[in-house]
Structures are given as structure tokens and as C-alpha cells.
Amino acid sequence: MEQLIIALGWVGVFAPVALGAVGSAIGCSVAGQAACGAMLDVESGYGKFVGVSAMPSSQVIYGIVIMFTLSALGVSEATSAGLFGIGLLTGVALMYSAIYQGQAVAASINASKNKPEVFGLSIAPAAIVEGFAVFAFVFALVLGQAIV
Amino acid sequence: MAENAYYTLLTSLPHIDSLFNSRITPISRFQLDKRLSMLSTADQQRLVKIESLLHWDQLDDEVEEKALIHQAERTRAELDSQALNDLIDWRLDMRTIVAALRRKHAGQPAPTEPKWSYGSRYEYIRNHWGSATLGLGSAFPWIPKVVECLRNGECIALEKILLQAVWDHLSHMAMKHSHDFEAVVIYVLRWNLVARWTAYDTEKARVRFRSLVETSLGEFRDQLPTGPEA
């Protein structure tokens, strides 16, 4: 039983990176596909499409920071439950935010391709989604300190 | 390309602004077909079936109605998308309604054959033949305008009403589908509408009409008056 609890603790420590990486991969892939499509239809401005398509990669970076913070607390029988709860749920939040951010970025690329003047405004929905990922990131760090 | 090429494909297609203000199609058919080759083989086949069902210009001059009805049912059964099935039903219902209104305008009685057309409302239409709007005025709000145009012989206005109705329906559907196969179908159908509208040419129509009249007259064609006023 003790080993299972420790294992769950490690799952919690690594979940933000693993799930964040899954989400970022899907999100960047979706946004990247949209960027590639837009390049076929426009004559210039490719750089901004490629640049904005990398937006969903931030979630895996948040995951890495959370992983180091949680692992620094030490995985023991006393901390495992807290690590598992905070780590897993943060990972899920990061994964979904990255996937949906990728879709928001794809929509932004499609809109700004047809109407370049709305580029800045069209990124707003993706930026709002980023905000939710930041909430999960910051409060995971804050709450993580209460584990020990 | 990959099964899910919808994001790349749909962002690679130029935006279609409007129907009646378009002077040319936003992308040529050749380029459109090149872009559509990003779709998987199965999706391409589904798209071809939908296009061949929904566009008259894909049909031969000699059309057998029963074969067409059978083709519609087969295509509909092969699609695994409820949204596309609904779209096909709506489009075929529209054709059935217009055909019924034309027949009524010509003074013909209700069809006697139960399966006289395709779509999902042909039986209902047959049962409501006596109604001016075939009992579908609320479901298809453009019907009274079509009846009015038929009564007044306003062919161009009638064509515009029908094209606008299809355009509006596709635009409404596009709000629910942004990056999926349905969105691709909607784009292609809208492209076809623009292609059809921009291809309308008075002079070509005159030549075509004259050619049809001459074919119909056969050996009496030489008796046709000549000159631009003919």
C-alpha cells in the first residue's frame, strides 16, 4: 500500500509535464497545420503565422516548472496524496488549455489571413485561454507550498 | 495527406465574401481541386458523391428520375454525418418544392406516384398540394416569394431568391462547423454557388437558347428568322 501511495505521488509530480506535453503537442500541431494552410493562400506574413502557432507550447513549460517545484517537496507517504491531487489536476488543466488554445490560434490565423488588420484582436481568445493555464500554474505553485 | 487535414485545407482556401457581389470565384476549380487533394481518399469520394448529387451541371442531359432518386438515397445512406444528411435533405427538399410549385403553376395535378421525388418531404408535399405554399411556408420562408415570381414570370428574381436561400442555409450551417469535413463540404457548395452565379452570361444564354431551338426544330430550322433581334 505504501508503495502505491508513493507511486501516485510520483504520478502527481510528473503529470503536469506529461499532460502538458500532450496538450502542447496537439495544440501546436493544430495551429501549425492552420499556419501551413494559410501560407498557401497568402503572399507574405508567414512569420507571424508560424510565431503565433507556437503559443500552445507554454503549457509544457508551466508543467516543467510545477514538476520541479513539486519534486523539491519530496515524495513521501505524507506528501504523496497532495502531490497526486495538485499535480494530476494541474496537468489535466494544462492539457485541455493547450488543445483549445491551438484551436483558438487556428481560428485566429484563418481570420487574420483574410483580414490582416484584425491579427492583434484575433489572438485575444487564445490569450484568454492562456490566462486560464496561468491560473492553474500559479495556484498549483501556491497550493503546493501547503503540502509540507 | 493525413486523415485530419482539415485545418491545413480550410485555412488554405480563400474566404468567399458574398454571392451576388462576386465577379469571379475566389479560387479556380483547378486550384480548388489541388487543395482538396489534401483530403483522405474516403473524404474525396464522399465529396464527389455529394457534389454529383447536389449540382445539376454534374448531370447528363438525359436524366432518369428514378435513377436520380435512387442515387440520392444511396448517397444519403453512405454518409455517416447527421449534419450532411440534414443538408442533403434540405437541398433535395428545396428542389422538390420548386418542382412542385412549377407543376402547380403549370396547372398540373398532384403526382399520383407515392415516390415521385426525393428529399424528406415529398409525401407531405403531395398531401398538401392544394395549399399555396404546400403547407411549408414556415419551414421554408422563401416559398411565398417563389410563388410570386412564378406568377409574374420573373425568372431572374426567382433564381436569385433560390440562390440566396441556399447561401443563407450554408452560412447558417458554417457557424457550427469550422474545421471538419462538413466545413469542407460547405465551402465547396458555396464555391459552386459563386461559380454558378458568376458564370451567368446573357450572350452565352442567347446562343445556347438558339441552339436548343434549332435542335428542336430539326429540318425546319432554316425558317428561323436571323439577326441579333431573333
Side-chain angles (χ1 to χ4, degrees), chain B residues 102-167:
Chain B
R102 286 187 195 279
R103 287 172 78 153
K104 268 170 66 86
H105 180 67
Q108 293 180 17
T112 50
E113 196 178 340
K115 201 157 194 171
W116 67 281
S117 186
Y118 45 29
S120 59
R121 298 177 193 251
Y122 54 88
E123 187 59 34
Y124 182 88
I125 291 169
R126 199 167 72 101
N127 293 334
H128 291 78
W129 196 261
S131 163
T133 59
L134 303 166
L136 292 168
S138 54
F140 299 90
W142 40 266
I143 291 180
K145 292 181 194 167
V146 171
V147 173
E148 189 67 23
C149 288
L150 282 172
R151 191 180 298 137
N152 299 331
E154 297 167 338
C155 301
I156 297 174
L158 172 61
E159 184 70 3
K160 286 185 89 167
I161 288 166
L162 296 178
L163 287 174
Q164 186 67 54
V166 180
W167 180 267

Side-chain angles (χ1 to χ4, degrees), chain A residues 28-99:
Chain A
C28 285
S29 166
V30 164
Q33 287 177 55
C36 290
M39 286 181 214
L40 289 173
D41 192 38
V42 296
E43 300 299 326
S44 61
Y46 307 142
K48 66 181 178 189
F49 295 141
V50 174
V52 80
S53 69
M55 266 184 92
S57 58
S58 57
Q59 279 80 352
V60 71
I61 298 169
Y62 300 151
I64 291 168
V65 175
I66 294 168
M67 179 195 72
F68 281 124
T69 307
L70 294 182
S71 63
L73 300 174
V75 181
S76 65
E77 214 172 345
T79 61
S80 285
L83 293 173
F84 178 74
I86 292 173
L88 184 68
L89 290 178
T90 308
V92 170
L94 292 177
M95 181 177 74
Y96 275 104
S97 69
I99 292 170

Side-chain angles (χ1 to χ4, degrees), chain B:
Chain B
M1 208 173 182
E3 282 287 319
N4 297 318
Y6 306 128
Y7 283 97
T8 311
L9 171 59
L10 286 162
T11 49
S12 76
L13 298 171
H15 182 62
I16 303 177
D17 279 326
S18 66
L19 174 57
F20 297 122
N21 292 331
S22 299
R23 294 197 174 278
I24 55 167
T25 54
I27 183 171
S28 68
R29 185 71 213 197
F30 178 73
Q31 281 294 334
L32 179 61
D33 285 339
K34 269 178 75 175
R35 304 272 164 93
L36 291 174
S37 66
M38 291 183 203
L39 291 171
S40 67
T41 310
D43 278 350
Q44 287 182 43
Q45 287 170 347
R46 284 200 294 168
L47 185 60
V48 167
K49 280 179 186 166
I50 293 169
E51 269 200 283
S52 62
L53 180 63
L54 296 187
H55 286 279
W56 292 114
D57 56 1
Q58 307 268 347
L59 301 173
D60 298 329
D61 288 341
E62 298 293 326
V63 180
E64 198 194 334
E65 283 185 5
K66 281 187 178 171
L68 202 59
I69 294 168
H70 181 64
Q71 183 201 347
E73 286 177 348
R74 205 175 46 212
T75 304
R76 198 187 174 288
E78 284 171 5
L79 293 174
D80 53 0
S81 161
Q82 187 58 44
L84 290 179
N85 280 339
D86 290 346
L87 173 63
I88 287 175
D89 280 345
W90 186 88
R91 195 74 182 79
L92 298 184
D93 282 341
M94 182 185 200
R95 278 199 190 154
T96 301
I97 289 166
V98 174
L101 291 174
R102 286 187 195 279
R103 287 172 78 153
K104 268 170 66 86
H105 180 67
Q108 293 180 17
T112 50
E113 196 178 340
K115 201 157 194 171
W116 67 281
S117 186
Y118 45 29
S120 59
R121 298 177 193 251
Y122 54 88
E123 187 59 34
Y124 182 88
I125 291 169
R126 199 167 72 101
N127 293 334
H128 291 78
W129 196 261
S131 163
T133 59
L134 303 166
L136 292 168
S138 54
F140 299 90
W142 40 266
I143 291 180
K145 292 181 194 167
V146 171
V147 173
E148 189 67 23
C149 288
L150 282 172
R151 191 180 298 137
N152 299 331
E154 297 167 338
C155 301
I156 297 174
L158 172 61
E159 184 70 3
K160 286 185 89 167
I161 288 166
L162 296 178
L163 287 174
Q164 186 67 54
V166 180
W167 180 267
D168 291 345
H169 189 79
L170 291 174
S171 300
H172 180 69
M173 200 179 161
M175 287 193 280
K176 297 175 190 165
H177 299 277
S178 53
H179 293 101
D180 50 17
F181 180 65
E182 286 80 357
V184 177
V185 173
I186 291 166
Y187 186 91
V188 173
L189 295 182
R190 291 175 83 176
W191 185 94
N192 277 319
L193 283 182
V194 173
R196 185 168 152 191
W197 177 251
T198 54
Y200 285 161
D201 186 309
T202 312
E203 192 50 42
K204 279 184 185 170
R206 201 194 304 274
V207 172
R208 169 80 172 145
F209 180 73
R210 190 172 178 82
S211 153
L212 287 171
V213 170
E214 283 177 358
T215 307
S216 306
L217 288 175
E219 60 182 295
F220 301 105
R221 59 192 298 179
D222 296 336
Q223 294 177 24
L224 264 182
T226 54
E229 72 283 357

